[in-house]
Amino acid sequence: MPGAVTLNTRKIVVLGSRSVGKSSLVKQFVEGHYSDVYYPNTESSANKVITYNGTEFPCELIDTAGQDEFSQLNSRYAIGIHGYVLVYSIASRASFEMVQIIYDKIVDYCGLRTVPAVIVGAKADLNACRQVDAMDGARLAHANGAAWIEASALRDENVGKAFELCLAEIERGTAGAAAPPAPPDAPGGKCVVM
Ligand SMILES: Nc1nc2c(ncn2[C@@H]2O[C@H](COP(=O)(O)OP(=O)(O)OP(=O)(O)O)[C@@H](O)[C@H]2O)c(=O)[nH]1
């Protein structure tokens, strides 16, 4: 049943600056299509089963509105969340700088040192306008104990891989912080840490 919560259900939040290509990655991954029309997103969610090590994980992918340095981290992006896809555009240095800011807000909110995450350099087809070296992306991920990949929703390159890496980080239990699915009537609070 689509959206049914099982023991294997994983909740993944996609965060990043405005217009970096978050929705396009989710749409390409879930629906297998790409549009170059830009509709600023508020929030939406989609479901897709991701297979990791031979096990199927029904995943809820929460596609968020673009963040800036003044955005408060919505508590719903911390409670009961298993992993994070943190997106920047390789053609925007500012969006790259935002990734650390967002990551810091998450770990600060959760009271953890690290959370399972993949950092995604989106719009990898825009190499001619590149403002972020691949090495910088890899270094940022390494410094935060996260995975990293460059992907293009337009060319459908590494899109599935990005979400699979996120699931791998979750299952690896990077920080021992993978959260169980939040019960529907969970009381308010910060992260559920097991
Ligand atoms: N060249 C290129 N453009 C892309 C790619 N992915 C997205 N875009 C374009 O970038 C613009 C923004 O894409 P979205 O996916 O809506 O970005 P978003 O991060 O969800 O934006 P917000 O809803 O504002 O947070 C659109 O015009 C897309 O067509 C890509 O892989 N390559």
Side-chain angles (χ1 to χ4, degrees):
M1 194 200 307
V5 176
T6 73
L7 214 56
N8 277 352
T9 299
R10 299 290 179 262
K11 264 191 176 190
I12 293 172
V13 174
V14 184
L15 290 163
S17 299
R18 207 164 278 176
S19 190
V20 289
K22 300 180 294 298
S23 304
S24 300
L25 287 170
V26 173
K27 200 160 277 179
Q28 181 61 270
F29 183 51
V30 175
E31 298 171 16
H33 89 96
Y34 171 83
S35 159
D36 55 11
V37 182
Y38 173 45
Y39 298 108
N41 186 36
T42 45
E43 184 189 295
S44 60
S45 81
N47 296 287
K48 171 118 176 163
V49 174
I50 305 177
T51 303
Y52 174 72
N53 269 355
T55 305
E56 290 193 337
F57 293 88
C59 292
E60 182 185 355
L61 311 174
I62 302 164
D63 178 18
T64 65
Q67 318 274 301
D68 61 36
E69 56 270 52
F70 306 110
S71 308
Q72 289 225 331
L73 187 76
N74 190 319
S75 61
R76 283 179 303 113
Y77 303 157
I79 297 168
I81 301 303
H82 297 87
Y84 295 86
V85 176
L86 303 176
V87 185
Y88 64 92
S89 160
I90 68 150
S92 161
R93 190 78 203 174
S95 73
F96 178 68
E97 314 289 351
M98 267 306 296
V99 169
Q100 186 69 64
I101 292 170
I102 293 170
Y103 188 88
D104 289 345
K105 284 182 190 176
I106 298 166
V107 290
D108 184 45
Y109 194 99
C110 294
L112 296 167
R113 283 180 52 235
T114 59
V115 290
V118 58
I119 295 173
V120 180
K123 307 193 185 182
D125 53 283
L126 294 180
N127 206 30
C129 332
R130 181 183 281 274
Q131 292 185 4
V132 185
D133 286 345
M135 274 309 292
D136 289 348
R139 262 193 230 109
L140 178 70
H142 184 72
N144 290 287
W148 168 82
I149 197 167
E150 289 189 348
S152 167
L154 184 151
R155 291 190 184 156
D156 193 13
E157 280 170 6
N158 284 342
V159 175
K161 183 91 182 137
F163 291 96
E164 285 159 21
L165 276 175
C166 185
L167 187 61
E169 289 300 306
I170 294 168
E171 296 315 304
R172 203 162 61 86
T174 321
D185 56 350
K190 295 200 171 180
C191 283
V192 184
V193 182
M194 296 294 282

